[in-house]
């Protein structure tokens, strides 16, 4: 297989046909790669050793290493997957560069991949079978067996998504981490109920029905006390996403729109404005240029007139600080579709019962950072409890089963693929492109 990068911009509608479609010729795949595993085709047992990409020290490139043991299944909910495509994420280069989220050395990185099930879980309740084409979402970065930068990967069945036949393996590798972050940010931190969207999860209620000791102590307060029930995001409420061109923003906007929220995206309009304005799945109600943050805040305030209580920042502390200025706490009204109280109008009696009798807090959710300052009165800061996905099976299963339905019905579309590199050995070069800011508004994928 050629190690040359090739530019391909792909979206869901291009893969509505079968995987043997001539459309895939443009991806330079071999005939074997174009075809899915046939039901009557025997699987090749996994070898004892494999090739992996190891990090031996912080601020060093990853090293290609042969004869590394293939990971073994240790639990009835574990599945072994042959890696075929890896979706690269910013943390893949930020972790070694800034020396964080590296629990051991040498280390294997990579948070999401797509491939074929080689060994199915032994659990009788599993959805997965051998030869399934799947997306494995590896948020458990402490277990190197689950890392993506290797030829064979262990996944949990409740963290693994079956791909519909019209999606390519490359597309399947692009959306896992972003989907989980978006669903938890909206469902747990903002309290948004997805139950009316293809029977999606009500994560707010799900986590509160669990015994408290099943939720890790460091995320327990966020999960159980982060937002009061009468403040939960509802259909018609406004949500602003700063850094709206990122993959996580892409999935956040898609899920928010499906649940009936009105959306604002703050982006570099010179780079991404036309694409976002023309893409139905991620087209927002208001598109704001991020070039001048003060102006962006003024535009949001001028248009929404105090109706913005929810903000999600995908970029970092500086932009989160700007987004904070756009939020409007103490907005009267329990739901986006309920009328606000007019000036001088008394709330209904008794005041503690109806939703629209309470003053509502604003909520700022940071995916990569929050303002240095403490949260001002009337505003709450949130961090996304990612570990819920792999530590609480009920949460993981609810999310991956829902994602399967969303993908099957075409209600969620994978992010645009900016480029595809070939082979584990190309990952260092690919990460350098991300460091330089060459990959923006979509995903860089490595085919294995």
């Amino acid at each position: 297989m050629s190690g040359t990068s090739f530019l391909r911009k792909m979206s869901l509608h291009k893969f509505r046909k079968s995987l043997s479609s001539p459309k895939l010729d443009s991806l330079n795949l071999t005939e074997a790669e174009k075809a899915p595993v046939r039901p009557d085709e025997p699987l090749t047992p996994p070898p004892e050793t494999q090739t992996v990409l190891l990090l031996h020290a912080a601020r060093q490139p990853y090293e290609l290493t042969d004869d590394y043991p293939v990971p073994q299944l240790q639990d009835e909910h574990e599945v072994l997957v042959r890696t075929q495509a890896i979706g690269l994420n910013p943390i893949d280069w930020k972790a070694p560069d800034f020396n964080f989220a590296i629990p051991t050395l040498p280390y294997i990185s990579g948070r999401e991949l797509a491939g074929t099930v080689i060994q199915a879980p032994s659990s009788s309740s599993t959805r997965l079978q051998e030869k399934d084409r799947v997306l494995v979402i590896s948020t458990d970065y402490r277990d190197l067996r689950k890392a993506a930068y290797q030829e064979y990967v262990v996944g949990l069945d409740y963290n693994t998504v079956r791909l519909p036949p019209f999606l390519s393996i490359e597309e399947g590798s692009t959306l896992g981490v972003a989907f989980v972050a978006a669903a938890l940010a909206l469902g747990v931190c903002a309290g948004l109920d997805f139950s009316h969207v293809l029977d999606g999860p009500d994560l707010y209620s799900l986590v509160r029905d669990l015994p408290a000791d099943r939720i890790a102590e460091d995320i327990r307060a966020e999960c159980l006390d982060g937002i009061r029930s009468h403040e939960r995001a509802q259909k018609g409420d406004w949500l602003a996403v700063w850094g709206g061109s990122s993959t996580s923003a892409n999935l956040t906007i898609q899920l928010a729109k499906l649940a009936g929220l009105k959306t604002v995206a703050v982006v570099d309009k010179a780079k991404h404005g036309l694409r976002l304005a023309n893409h139905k799945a991620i087209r927002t109600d208001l598109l704001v240029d991020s070039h001048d943050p003060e102006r962006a805040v003024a535009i949001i305030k001028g248009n929404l007139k105090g109706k913005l209580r929810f903000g999600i920042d995908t970029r970092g502390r500086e932009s989160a600080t700007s987004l904070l200025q756009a939020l409007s706490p103490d907005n009267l009204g329990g739901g986006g579709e309920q009328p606000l109280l007019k000036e001088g109008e008394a709330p209904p009696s008794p005041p503690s019962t109806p939703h629209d009798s309470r003053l509502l807090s604003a909520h700022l959710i940071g995916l990569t950072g929050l303002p240095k300052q403490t949260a001002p009165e009337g505003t709450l800061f949130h961090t996304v409890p990612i570990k819920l996905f792999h530590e609480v099976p009920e949460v993981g299963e609810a999310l991956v089963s829902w994602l399967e339905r969303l993908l099957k019905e075409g209600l969620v579309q994978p992010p645009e693929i900016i480029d595809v590199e070939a082979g584990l050995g190309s990952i260092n070069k690919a990460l350098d492109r991300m460091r330089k800011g060459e990959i923006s508004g979509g995903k860089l994928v490595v085919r294995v």
Side-chain angles (χ1 to χ4, degrees):
M1 183 183 297
S2 170
T4 305
S5 164
F6 57 97
L7 185 62
R8 293 293 181 266
K9 295 187 175 181
M10 301 178 286
S11 56
L12 178 65
H13 72 273
K14 294 182 180 179
F15 291 90
R16 289 282 179 187
K17 298 184 180 180
S18 71
L19 289 177
S20 60
S21 167
K23 295 266 188 183
L24 289 178
D25 290 340
S26 64
L27 294 178
N28 296 337
L29 301 183
T30 66
E31 290 304 315
E33 290 171 321
K34 292 176 189 175
V37 178
R38 296 190 305 270
D40 59 344
E41 182 180 340
L43 282 174
T44 303
E48 294 184 359
T49 61
Q50 60 170 337
T51 299
V52 304
L53 208 58
L54 288 177
L55 180 71
H56 290 277
R59 291 174 285 278
Q60 297 294 320
Y62 295 93
E63 293 185 13
L64 203 61
T65 304
D66 296 323
D67 299 322
Y68 193 90
V70 169
Q72 301 297 306
L73 304 186
Q74 299 175 3
D75 183 277
E76 66 173 355
H77 291 287
E78 292 184 345
V79 56
L80 185 66
V81 174
R82 184 177 71 237
T83 306
Q84 293 172 278
I86 299 169
L88 301 185
N89 289 285
I91 196 171
D92 297 351
W93 67 266
K94 290 182 178 180
D97 281 16
F98 299 103
N99 195 19
F100 73 96
I102 303 173
T104 186
L105 288 171
Y107 184 64
I108 306 176
S109 191
R111 298 293 196 268
E112 57 193 347
L113 66 118
T116 302
V117 173
I118 301 301
Q119 290 179 231
S122 59
S123 170
S124 59
S125 62
T126 185
R127 296 165 289 106
L128 305 175
Q129 299 180 8
E130 291 182 356
K131 305 180 186 178
D132 281 347
R133 299 165 62 252
V134 295
L135 158 66
V136 178
I137 308 169
S138 179
T139 55
D140 185 6
Y141 67 93
R142 296 182 182 278
D143 189 343
L144 302 191
R145 300 176 307 139
K146 300 172 184 173
Y149 291 3
Q150 53 190 329
E151 293 177 313
Y152 293 87
V153 172
V154 170
L156 294 166
D157 58 0
Y158 51 86
N159 291 167
T160 302
V161 181
R162 294 172 298 178
L163 298 175
F166 53 77
L167 283 187
S168 72
I169 283 290
E170 287 81 7
E171 281 196 307
S173 72
T174 65
L175 50 70
V177 172
F179 171 81
V180 171
L184 292 176
L186 292 169
V188 175
C189 301
L192 188 60
D193 183 0
F194 295 113
S195 59
H196 63 288
V197 183
L198 288 185
D199 197 26
D202 178 4
L203 295 171
Y204 179 93
S205 299
L206 192 160
V207 296
R208 282 162 174 76
D209 288 341
L210 297 169
D213 60 5
R214 292 207 39 215
I215 300 174
E217 187 174 358
D218 59 334
I219 61 170
R220 194 175 298 162
E222 177 61 63
C223 294
L224 302 181
D225 304 311
I227 185 170
R228 295 174 294 178
S229 61
H230 72 281
E231 293 188 337
R232 297 178 63 178
Q234 300 180 39
K235 181 179 179 180
D237 281 341
W238 282 93
L239 167 74
V241 181
W242 201 295
S245 63
S246 69
T247 302
S248 53
N250 181 311
L251 271 296
T252 298
I253 291 168
Q254 289 194 58
L255 296 185
K257 290 179 63 173
L258 288 174
L261 297 190
K262 298 176 183 178
T263 53
V264 181
V266 185
V267 301
D268 183 341
K269 290 179 71 173
K271 285 185 178 180
H272 307 294
L274 186 62
R275 179 177 62 86
L276 268 66
N278 290 336
H279 196 308
K280 183 178 180 181
I282 54 175
R283 185 187 305 138
T284 56
D285 297 279
L286 179 62
L287 188 62
V288 181
D289 193 1
S290 62
H291 179 69
D292 182 343
E294 289 187 11
R295 176 65 175 161
V297 170
I299 291 172
I300 294 171
K301 285 187 169 182
N303 280 272
L304 271 57
K305 303 186 185 306
K307 296 181 181 178
L308 178 65
R309 288 197 304 116
F310 297 97
I312 294 180
D313 178 79
T314 72
R315 296 187 60 82
R317 178 175 292 169
E318 186 175 342
S319 54
T321 302
S322 295
L323 181 54
L324 174 63
Q325 307 308 313
L327 297 178
S328 301
D330 294 342
N331 178 32
L332 287 172
E337 295 187 325
Q338 298 182 17
L340 301 179
L341 295 178
K342 297 178 181 178
E343 186 176 356
E345 181 180 357
S349 179
S352 61
T353 303
H355 283 181
D356 60 0
S357 69
R358 304 188 184 192
L359 295 177
L360 306 178
S361 299
H363 298 270
L364 176 61
I365 303 163
L367 297 190
T368 58
L370 286 165
K372 266 188 175 181
Q373 67 193 79
T374 57
E377 184 177 0
T379 300
L380 297 175
F381 289 172
H382 300 264
T383 55
V384 181
I386 287 290
K387 64 170 64 176
L388 268 181
F389 179 65
H390 61 265
E391 289 189 352
V392 180
E394 294 91 333
V395 173
E397 182 66 27
L399 288 178
V400 298
S401 298
W402 185 42
L403 181 54
E404 287 185 357
R405 296 192 295 275
L406 291 170
L407 291 173
K408 181 179 178 181
E409 297 301 324
L411 293 185
V412 161
Q413 299 188 19
E416 184 177 28
I417 294 178
I418 301 298
D419 206 353
V420 180
E421 300 276 359
L424 288 172
S426 71
I427 286 180
N428 282 316
K429 179 178 71 172
L431 295 178
D432 280 341
R433 296 177 62 188
M434 297 175 70
R435 286 184 179 94
K436 295 173 183 176
E438 295 178 10
I439 307 301
S440 180
K443 198 80 169 182
L444 185 58
V445 171
V446 173
R447 186 188 304 133
V448 179

